[in-house]
Amino acid sequence: MSFIPKPKVAHPSLPKNELGLTRRDYEGVMSTLCAGCGHDSVTAAIIEAVWGLSIRPEQVVKLSGIGCSSKTTAYFVSGGHGFNSVHGRMPSIATGAIAANKDLYYIGVSGDGDTLSIGFGQFAHAIRRNINMLYIIENNGVYGLTKGQFSASADIGSKTKRGEENLQPPIDPVVAGLTLGAGFVARSFSGDKQQLVPLIQAGLKYKGFALIDVLSPCVTFNDHEGSTKSYRFVREHYDEVVHADFVPPAQEITIQYSPGEAIPVTMHDGSRIVLRKLDERYDPTRRGKAYNYLRDRLAKGEYVTGLIYIDEKGRDFHEVNGTTDTPINQLPYEVLTPGAAALEQIMSRYR
Amino acid sequence: MEPTDTKNPNYYHRVVDCQWACPAHTDVPEYIRLIALGEFTEAYLVNRESNVFPGILGRVCDRPCEPACRRGRVEAEPVAICRLKRVAADHREDIRARLPRAPKKKNGKRIACIGAGPASLTVANDLLPLGYEITMFEKWHAPGGLMRTNIPSFRLPARVLDEEIGYILDMGVDLRLGTEVKSLKQLLASGEFDAVFVGSGAPKGKDLDLPGRRASLHVMEHIHIGIEWLESVAFGHTRAIGKRVLIIGVGNTAMDCCRTSLRLGATDVKVMARKPRGFFKASDWELKDAEEESVEIVVNHSPKAFVVENERLVGMTFDKMEYDIDAQGRIVGERVVGEAFLPCDDVILAIGQENAFPWIEDDIGIEFDRWHVPKIDKVTLQSTLPNVFFGGDAAFGPKNIIWAVEHGHQAAISIHKYCQGLPVSERLPPTLKLSSRKMGLHEWAYKNEYNPIERRLMPHVDLKERFKKVDIEVELGFTPEQTAAEVQRCLNCDIQTVFDANLCIECDACVDICPVDCLTITANGPEDELRTRLKAPAMNAAQPLFVSVPLKQTGRVMVKDENLCVHCGLCAERCPTAAWDMQKSKIKIPYAIDETHPSCFSPQTRKSA
Ligand SMILES: Cc1cc2nc3c(=O)[nH]c(=O)nc-3n(C[C@H](O)[C@H](O)[C@H](O)COP(=O)(O)OP(=O)(O)OC[C@H]3O[C@@H](n4cnc5c(N)ncnc54)[C@H](O)[C@@H]3O)c2cc1C
Ligand SMILES: Cc1ncc(C[n+]2csc(CCOP(=O)(O)OP(=O)(O)O)c2C)c(N)n1
Ligand code: SF4
Ligand code: SF4
Ligand code: SF4
Ligand SMILES: [Mg+2]
């Protein structure tokens, strides 16, 4: 961390988005994480992505559990809404909030501990319900906040700073997401904003549950020789299969793709994700194939990254449950509380 | 781009914009920090080492440092560098015990300085401690050059001049006042001097030969040449002027002429400019000060004729001008669109100065160019006659005090080398030392917090008060509160961001935290293209890019755009591996004393010719 807040002075030629705001307008309070923590880079990527989409700060809802990763919701978009839940319980809070108001952008930030151990059940049900949110796991292979114990994402053979080896197999959040039926599954790296920023933008625009597992090294407890989640190890075992470019609705696709290489996917609001395959045998629209490819590479100790799987046709939570179109805080009192007569009617159905 | 060579002392020197822009390379951030600590004497001495006249320059310096100041790019207004210099001077203790002294035992070399302006005085300042004997010839009966005769005392009080000139003279200058050198040939032939320094300034004010200029004695008495007129005011010969005065020209001399006129009884003073605003030679602050005193600045009027009735000057006619200005702001066309008559009692011509050397004979080996400007080496200031050196306004035409001082330093080095029989062109280069400011994990030995406070304004003597006498100093100096605030505006540009590519793990922390988006990790490329690809495009080509060697993990490079770095140290605070460190750079500028060859000036040195 640093001890002085980032001064308000800014580059005079800082670009402005459609709302006339600069990146600096999307910052949060000063980070208290260790200097060099991958999580701070993810924060910067979220700021860049939300700014780039010209989302009004007050349209953003930030949700998290407990952990260094979960603390970061305070470090971006100060103008947004936020809820820091108890450990592993962010999905329930998110579900409630989303049910109540479908007009906002929901960003959940969790850790590998928060998601894959104490919160694993909640995580699975959030996917199952296909709640409309972006769920980011800042994955460092350890419980950073409690001083570096192995988490459930630690690989077999990975060593702690003091040399102890992890012997239990990991839960891979991407494999889990794919098998649980998530419609948007991606993996990225805190040190690769070129990949991460468009993925966050695509995830925010995706209708349904969008999962991004971001490898995000813990400089203090898991960036040493022998770690499989260090900056160096991740860079050496990095395999980007599909690069996603995000193209907002009104914009032309200007990048030149060679034929057969690019797959444009149109989202419900008209924006597009152009998927650029870096491995031609790969198909990000086939869940089974994606799963096999992933398992294959994981066995070789490689991190497959990019937009690994996407399905635009799934029915989200709102559709399935017929949630209210008008946020409940805007519903008239009579609609929200129909009174004793209506209650009587409901009760009579069970008599 | 090639990796930046930070071993070249100029790289980090350039980052210290003010010091780089100062002709004498005054260590500005260092003295501002000393002022912040209340160490006024130390701050004064840091100044004196390079600019010799902190009290004088703290009032009237042309301050090329201020337009260069980084703060002016980060927000609108630069740090009030010059004002702070005056604070150091105003609050210093008696420094006489800490000044260099001339040794009792002389080195046997005698130098003649012609003129007692800032250039000559600096030569004396640098050479006296080395045992030289200095004889200084001055045609007036007081030393100081134009600082005495032309800069009005309401801007620069005589007391301040006397004190700082005294520091030098007290080392033992053989000052010959009221002694005009009429022949350089004779001076050289006397054999008294080992070398001669010509610091005689640019003493000739330009005239304006328009119809009516010499129509009668009355007319000639009421048209004045600016610098001569100021001179006669300074020496008390001129004590009054007419009510309505026209000043021709809009440079700094014009500003002094108009404000002086107001103090000698004029009530309606107009400064007549040929061109529109933005093309004026006068500094912004001098214009502002004049306008505050209700001087009217009339633009687009080109002088045409002096109007004379019954042998008396009654006014002037002007061509009214119109200009075409292109997108770059240059004048590309002009035309006359009318004529105007302006009545007046006196006219002061302030349209420039020239050097003139009627006392330098053509046949002594000093070559002049077509415009009768001497041919001088730009670095050594040596003329084509090896033992004659020039400096100040005499060398390359009118400049300013701080340039005269810098010429004095350089000429002193040349004279010292010349007198030791060493080649004058082989000079010590400036050197640079770096030392870390890290004190603890997040503790730095400097105040790294950015303070958004705005530039403080100089308090002035009340408009009614200031005209009562000709020598009431208008500027009052900063109050303690203003000083305490203004010092915080300095960004400590000499606390450099020093990068070690070997340590970087490419975690992006520095890139993310930098408040002004200076940093980018990216693939290398040609400079023009790279500049467009940075986190914030680096469009100020005058400011360098730092480019590292390839980074270990990805082979990309760390690029820093120096333009807007506020030296907050956040990059270094956030870096987990200390790949960035904040290190203070100290630039060592060599002076004559550093050029002393160990084998020279030993006791057995003979006195030559
Ligand atoms: C009106 C006016 C206002 C100015 N205001 C500023 C200002 O605010 N800030 C700033 O930085 N600069 C200012 N300047 C410019 C500045 O004063 C000069 O650039 C500077 O003084 C030059 O120093 P110098 O040592 O080269 O010569 P000078 O200061 O000109 O000194 C030369 C001396 O040599 C003497 N001399 C000349 N010939 C002989 C001879 N043959 N024998 C003996 N003595 C001789 C002269 O009498 C004079 O005293 C101003 C100039 C003018 C005219
Ligand atoms: C109910 C409960 N159990 C345990 C803890 C202790 N605890 C705090 S953070 C944490 C693990 C966080 O790990 P992760 O989500 O990976 O976050 P990181 O700090 O690594 O980013 C644990 C176990 C807690 N706060 N609450
Ligand atoms: S302990 Fe690890 S995860 Fe937590 S802030 Fe420090 S580096 Fe980041
Ligand atoms: S010191 Fe570092 S963080 Fe601060 S402005 Fe300069 S480059 Fe950016
Ligand atoms: S913070 Fe340090 S290690 Fe990280 S990218 Fe910057 S210089 Fe490299
Ligand atoms: Mg973790």
Side-chain angles (χ1 to χ4, degrees), chain B residues 4 74 107 219 337 384 418 457 505 564:
Chain B
T4 303
V74 172
N107 69 16
V219 171
V337 293
T384 49
Y418 175 79
L457 297 176
I505 57 170
L564 295 175

Side-chain angles (χ1 to χ4, degrees), chain B residues 15 38 51 55 257 276 284 360 364 383 482 500 544-545 605:
Chain B
V15 173
N51 60 48
C257 290
D284 280 346
I360 298 184
I364 58 173
S383 73
Q482 287 181 306
D500 182 347
L545 293 187
T605 309

Side-chain angles (χ1 to χ4, degrees), chain B residues 45-332:
Chain B
L45 291 170
V46 165
N47 265 291
R48 193 179 186 280
E49 181 179 351
S50 49
N51 60 48
V52 188
F53 304 107
I56 295 171
L57 290 164
R59 291 172 166 81
V60 300
C61 187
D62 238 0
R63 41 195 110 145
C65 54
E66 290 196 14
C69 171
R70 178 179 308 264
R71 185 88 186 197
R73 299 196 296 276
V74 172
E75 48 161 273
E77 293 285 338
V79 175
I81 299 171
C82 188
R83 270 72 219 269
L84 290 172
K85 196 187 306 300
R86 174 170 168 188
V87 169
D90 284 354
H91 299 285
R92 73 184 189 273
E93 290 156 4
D94 187 354
I95 56 139
R96 277 171 299 182
R98 301 186 56 184
L99 290 172
R101 260 166 244 227
K104 286 231 161 52
K105 196 173 161 55
K106 301 299 168 194
N107 69 16
K109 304 282 178 184
R110 308 195 60 199
I111 313 297
C113 289
I114 302 174
S120 286
L121 287 165
T122 303
V123 169
N125 179 69
D126 286 10
L127 292 182
L128 284 166
L130 302 176
Y132 286 87
E133 285 168 84
I134 308 276
T135 304
M136 199 176 280
F137 300 95
E138 169 55 54
K139 99 179 151 203
W140 295 110
H141 51 267
L146 291 178
M147 304 192 295
R148 172 90 59 187
T149 60
N150 263 250
I151 301 183
S153 45
F154 60 84
R155 286 207 292 131
L156 178 58
R159 165 184 58 80
V160 177
L161 266 175
D162 292 340
E163 205 168 14
E164 289 189 329
I165 293 173
Y167 293 154
I168 298 167
L169 298 181
D170 291 349
M171 277 193 279
V173 175
D174 171 16
L175 176 63
R176 309 214 184 145
L177 293 174
T179 312
E180 183 172 356
V181 174
K182 297 224 164 77
S183 159
L184 183 58
K185 195 173 188 170
Q186 256 178 37
L187 189 80
L188 292 169
S190 74
E192 265 188 79
F193 301 104
D194 296 282
V196 175
F197 176 75
V198 180
S200 57
K204 216 176 111 194
K206 286 189 189 156
D207 204 336
L208 188 61
D209 250 330
L210 292 177
R213 172 69 179 91
R214 277 165 239 288
S216 71
L217 192 61
H218 179 270
V219 171
M220 301 218 310
E221 276 173 356
H222 289 269
I223 299 175
H224 317 276
I225 305 251
I227 66 166
E228 290 168 11
W229 182 76
L230 287 168
E231 207 167 77
S232 86
V233 174
F235 290 125
H237 306 316
T238 296
R239 292 163 204 258
I241 195 160
K243 292 268 176 248
R244 298 164 305 168
V245 181
L246 294 181
I247 317 279
I248 310 300
V250 67
N252 291 346
T253 305
M255 295 301 109
D256 284 337
C257 290
C258 65
R259 295 179 68 193
T260 302
S261 303
L262 290 172
R263 285 157 175 80
L264 298 190
T267 50
D268 172 8
V269 181
K270 291 190 172 68
V271 172
M272 306 302 298
R274 256 173 60 81
K275 292 182 182 167
R277 247 166 217 279
F279 294 90
F280 297 171
K281 282 222 186 84
S283 332
D284 280 346
W285 59 87
E286 295 213 64
L287 283 165
K288 242 189 248 160
D289 289 345
E291 289 188 302
E292 180 187 296
E293 296 182 355
S294 309
V295 169
E296 190 186 342
I297 295 173
V298 182
V299 299
N300 299 349
H301 277 61
S302 179
K304 198 170 180 187
F306 298 98
V307 182
V308 183
E309 278 171 18
N310 304 326
E311 305 210 330
R312 297 179 72 85
L313 177 72
V314 293
M316 279 185 77
T317 50
F318 295 85
D319 277 334
K320 285 191 175 175
M321 305 299 294
E322 206 173 81
Y323 297 93
D324 302 320
I325 295 169
D326 72 2
Q328 277 78 48
R330 287 172 308 199
I331 291 181
V332 286

Side-chain angles (χ1 to χ4, degrees), chain A residues 41-75:
Chain A
S41 286
V42 182
T43 298
I46 294 173
I47 290 171
E48 177 83 29
V50 177
W51 166 79
L53 289 176
S54 297
I55 293 173
R56 280 184 284 115
E58 65 274 19
Q59 285 177 288
V60 174
V61 183
K62 312 173 291 177
L63 303 138
S64 62
I66 298 291
C68 295
S69 34
S70 293
K71 283 169 71 174
T72 64
T73 46
Y75 311 150

Side-chain angles (χ1 to χ4, degrees), chain A residues 190-207:
Chain A
S190 66
D192 185 0
K193 287 204 190 66
Q194 273 177 353
Q195 185 193 57
L196 181 54
V197 172
L199 278 178
I200 294 174
Q201 292 180 326
L204 281 167
K205 289 291 181 185
Y206 178 77
K207 189 161 82 59

